[in-house]
Amino acid sequence: MKKQTHLLHAGRNAKENFGIVNPPVYHASTVTFPTVEAMNKAGENPTEGIYYGRMATPTSHAFEEAVAALEGADKAIAVQSGLAAITGAILAFVKNGDHILVTDSAYFPTKKFCNTVLKGFGVETTYFNPTIGSNIEKLIQPNTKVIFTESPGSLTFEVQDIPAITKVAKDHKIITMIDNTWAAGYFFNAFDHGCDISIQAATKYIGGHSDVMLGTIALGDDLYKKVKTYVYGLGYCAAPDDCYLAQRGIRTLPARLKIHEENGMKLASWLKEQPEVKRVLHPAFEDCPGHDIFKRDFTGACGLFSIVLQDHYSEKAVASMLDGMELFPMGYSWGGYESLMIPFNPKGARNASSWEDQGPCLRLHAGQENVEDLINDLDKGFERLNKG
């Protein structure tokens, strides 16, 4: 069955729900049992059945089954945010005295977690250049437990050679994880490329409507019980209404991603020709670091990319541009139906790689608006930018 078809049917069973197409929402904390024997039996394997509301409900199980189908995984775990998925997955495999490797282009809250919480627990983090490939072997220590990747990288969009990294990791029996949110688990199959765990902020494209806080951890049967038990012990769980909304979102994911991809490519191509733009950071473009890897490993692109403006533009000029945008409001997150744009400066967030560009940077999310309207809004924005 093709993925597009599978996503429409995974995680729902109309026969079990009176013929109702969509699985119902179960709001539950307490789950009762008719006998001591039934309670004890459920408690023998609480990660699989319905034992307590925080552990799972039929709603979360249905969503997790759909995510596993999307990612090509055996199982999936839903938690309350993308960051919770990242932190819970990492914590399940480290203890005091351990060491992990993290891409220098990771989502900044991931790095902040490593620099504060993990450091406080006595876990050392080494950041690596996202273009390192198989040379990551030189950074492995005897106590290295996890290699955490993100491809393309947040904000700057370097594409990593995931197969090269995971091959080294397997040789050293190290767990590999990827933040797979940009590809939405749809344009990149983490498991086909050697990853052990694929993480997403389902807040983004899976939810698709800017109204869900949710994270997912996709993984194999061999790791599921370990990670599920750990995140349960941390008190992590996903709200039933968010799981329900994300189930609805995942059904239309392929159709929505197609529009985001088309609009993103058209906007990036137009921006590349504008004199105000020094560089477009989009994996589908030849001058983006790792473009050849992108062509080899990815089946498409989402609507998120960045641009570097010419060096001479001041912060005041950039603010003038952004303050007047009509269809590109400023807001963190992305993956909803609407377009967004934020300014950023990657220099202060680099540990193992340098950022040479001097010009201001903007990250854009291409929503589902008419692309001509988006271009017109950007054109007016550049007029304000040039006026300073």
Side-chain angles (χ1 to χ4, degrees), residues 85-376:
I86 291 166
T87 60
I90 293 174
L91 285 170
F93 293 96
V94 297
K95 63 182 185 307
N96 181 275
D98 285 342
H99 171 254
I100 68 170
L101 292 167
V102 176
T103 177
D104 206 22
S105 57
Y107 173 56
F108 182 70
T110 301
K111 299 180 79 172
K112 187 173 182 180
F113 165 75
C114 294
N115 296 339
T116 55
V117 178
L118 284 189
K119 184 178 180 181
F121 288 163
V123 178
E124 181 189 2
T125 301
T126 298
Y127 295 101
F128 61 88
N129 191 311
T131 62
I132 198 170
S134 60
N135 286 325
I136 198 169
E137 189 162 27
K138 298 175 182 178
L139 301 179
I140 291 174
Q141 301 177 14
N143 59 338
T144 303
K145 303 300 181 183
V146 170
I147 297 176
F148 190 93
T149 67
E150 181 176 337
S151 186
S154 283
L155 299 176
T156 48
F157 298 95
E158 301 92 339
V159 183
Q160 296 184 245
D161 193 341
I162 300 299
I165 293 172
T166 57
K167 182 181 184 304
V168 170
K170 290 185 188 305
D171 289 343
H172 291 267
K173 296 181 172 54
I174 296 169
I175 294 292
T176 52
M177 304 179 185
I178 184 169
D179 184 334
N180 202 17
T181 307
W182 187 88
Y186 190 79
F187 290 134
F188 180 81
N189 187 304
F191 302 97
D192 284 351
H193 294 88
C195 294
D196 296 303
I197 292 177
S198 180
I199 294 164
Q200 283 197 64
T203 304
K204 310 294 196 294
Y205 281 118
I206 289 178
H209 293 78
S210 302
D211 55 4
V212 167
M213 292 297 295
L214 198 63
T216 60
I217 306 168
L219 66 182
D221 284 323
D222 57 328
L223 300 178
Y224 173 74
K225 188 171 183 178
K226 178 182 178 71
V227 178
K228 177 67 175 179
T229 302
Y230 201 94
V231 299
Y232 175 65
L234 289 171
Y236 289 6
C237 62
D241 290 301
D242 286 345
C243 286
Y244 175 76
L245 288 171
Q247 279 189 73
R248 296 184 69 181
I250 210 168
R251 310 303 178 195
T252 61
L253 180 64
R256 290 186 289 104
L257 281 175
K258 184 177 181 181
I259 299 173
H260 288 294
E261 179 179 36
E262 289 177 355
N263 279 359
M265 288 297 295
K266 288 176 182 177
L267 285 180
S269 297
W270 180 81
L271 285 163
K272 195 173 180 65
E273 301 302 318
Q274 305 312 303
E276 295 84 359
V277 177
K278 182 178 181 180
R279 205 153 63 98
V280 172
L281 307 176
H282 191 303
F285 284 64
E286 290 184 1
D287 54 354
C288 190
H291 169 70
D292 290 341
I293 298 170
F294 173 79
K295 287 202 305 181
R296 183 192 71 192
D297 295 347
F298 286 72
T299 59
C302 72
L304 191 74
F305 65 97
S306 294
I307 59 173
V308 180
L309 298 174
Q310 299 293 350
D311 295 354
H312 64 274
Y313 290 114
S314 66
E315 289 185 13
K316 181 181 177 183
V318 173
S320 179
M321 173 186 175
L322 293 174
D323 290 352
M325 300 302 296
E326 181 179 357
L327 299 178
F328 286 90
M330 285 174 283
Y332 294 104
S333 196
W334 41 271
Y337 52 80
E338 79 285 9
S339 293
L340 294 168
M341 183 157 48
I342 59 168
F344 70 93
N345 183 352
K347 286 187 177 181
R350 293 284 166 152
N351 300 83
S353 54
S354 59
W355 182 257
E356 302 300 333
D357 283 303
Q358 300 300 313
C361 301
L362 302 173
R363 188 187 71 184
L364 295 86
H365 177 249
Q368 298 189 40
E369 299 92 344
N370 182 285
V371 73
E372 293 181 7
D373 292 331
L374 295 175
I375 289 173
N376 184 53

Side-chain angles (χ1 to χ4, degrees), residues 2 14 110 386:
K2 302 295 185 185
T110 301
N386 287 318

